[in-house]
Amino acid sequence: MDGNGRWAKKRALPRKAGHKAGVDALKKVIEECQARGVQMCSFYAFSTENWKRPQDEINAIFKLVEDFAANELKKYVDKNYRVMCMGDLSLLPQKTQDSLKEIVDSGKNNTGMIVNIAINYGGRQEIVNAINYILQSGINKVDEQMVSDCIYTAGLPDPDIIVRTSGEERISNFMLWQLAYSEFLFIDTLWPDMDKKDIDYIINEYSKRNRRFGDIK
Ligand code: FPP
């Protein structure tokens, strides 16, 4: 969800206002994904590297997450969406942890679209954690399936497409294991400006891709 800061700067607003507008965009995007039958969507809300930001901005992001959990995520759970989080939540403020945990637990048996929030998440951290977990169980030879079974998205499909907004063209430690055969799309739209047209564009671009998974057809 990149571009919140630049969106705010363009309007001479504080960065926090960009994140707030980012939440409005997130609501729209989730709604549009649901309307199109997307089965799972993951959103990068806070990376393991985002702790380098000013404390004031970090606090604002966590407050938005708490509010989002209490309001929107709760509604999604009521609509049968499954909400999950990936990342080390133990380092978040207690209130943020509690608000997310409550929602995740209450919707864990839901069968609708999965909304996955990456928070204090890093792809390398996820892989290292998985390998340590496997080693602790006494196994000394690791295979791909074991790693897939020990990451946050165990048992869930890898992303079909990864979209980065705001014109940046890098992955920034996102779903490094899961992205092996994902399609990539880099769009110029700043995250808070995301709307129906962007979702149409993404789906249309995806439908043009020819995925071969290493095969020749
Ligand atoms: C990246 O844009 C955005 C973030 C690091 C924070 C995203 C957080 C939210 C949208 C709100 C809280 C999340 C939820 C799930 C309710 P940036 O700040 O790096 O933008 P810039 O590159 O333009 O400075």
Side-chain angles (χ1 to χ4, degrees), residues 122-142:
R124 286 185 172 178
Q125 177 208 58
E126 177 180 38
I127 296 168
V128 169
N129 287 350
I131 293 169
N132 278 325
Y133 183 80
I134 296 164
L135 294 179
Q136 276 160 23
S137 65
I139 287 166
N140 57 16
K141 192 166 185 298
V142 176

Side-chain angles (χ1 to χ4, degrees), residues 1-6 15 19 23 26 45 50 53 65 68:
M1 297 191 279
D2 200 8
N4 296 346
R6 276 162 286 167
R15 294 180 55 82
H19 297 312
V23 175
L26 177 60
N50 286 148
R53 295 187 176 210
V65 171
F68 190 70

Side-chain angles (χ1 to χ4, degrees), residues 1-7 15 18-23 26 43-47 50 53 57 60-62 64-66 68-69 73 117 119 164 166 168 170 190-191:
M1 297 191 279
D2 200 8
N4 296 346
R6 276 162 286 167
W7 182 93
R15 294 180 55 82
H19 297 312
K20 189 163 183 299
V23 175
L26 177 60
F43 300 94
Y44 208 172
F46 194 86
S47 74
N50 286 148
R53 295 187 176 210
E57 179 174 346
I61 292 175
F62 291 149
L64 288 169
V65 171
E66 281 163 31
F68 190 70
L73 291 180
I117 312 282
I119 183 156
R164 182 163 186 157
S166 87
E168 304 292 349
R170 55 182 175 268
L190 301 175
W191 176 260

Side-chain angles (χ1 to χ4, degrees), residues 95-191:
K95 214 171 154 209
T96 316
Q97 288 182 46
D98 293 345
S99 60
L100 289 171
K101 197 174 172 307
E102 190 193 327
I103 295 298
V104 169
D105 287 349
S106 67
K108 66 175 188 295
N109 296 321
N110 286 1
T111 52
M113 181 171 82
I114 301 172
V115 175
N116 179 24
I117 312 282
I119 183 156
N120 193 24
Y121 171 83
R124 286 185 172 178
Q125 177 208 58
E126 177 180 38
I127 296 168
V128 169
N129 287 350
I131 293 169
N132 278 325
Y133 183 80
I134 296 164
L135 294 179
Q136 276 160 23
S137 65
I139 287 166
N140 57 16
K141 192 166 185 298
V142 176
D143 66 29
E144 289 188 15
Q145 190 58 48
M146 286 178 199
V147 177
S148 293
D149 289 344
C150 294
I151 54 176
Y152 293 112
T153 54
L156 296 170
D158 290 337
D160 288 317
I161 184 161
I162 295 187
V163 181
R164 182 163 186 157
T165 55
S166 87
E168 304 292 349
E169 298 188 358
R170 55 182 175 268
I171 294 307
S172 300
N173 211 4
F174 190 63
M175 298 185 98
L176 297 183
W177 182 266
Q178 297 89 333
L179 60 68
Y181 278 98
S182 300
E183 297 295 321
F184 289 94
L185 185 61
F186 299 99
I187 59 176
D188 288 335
T189 310
L190 301 175
W191 176 260

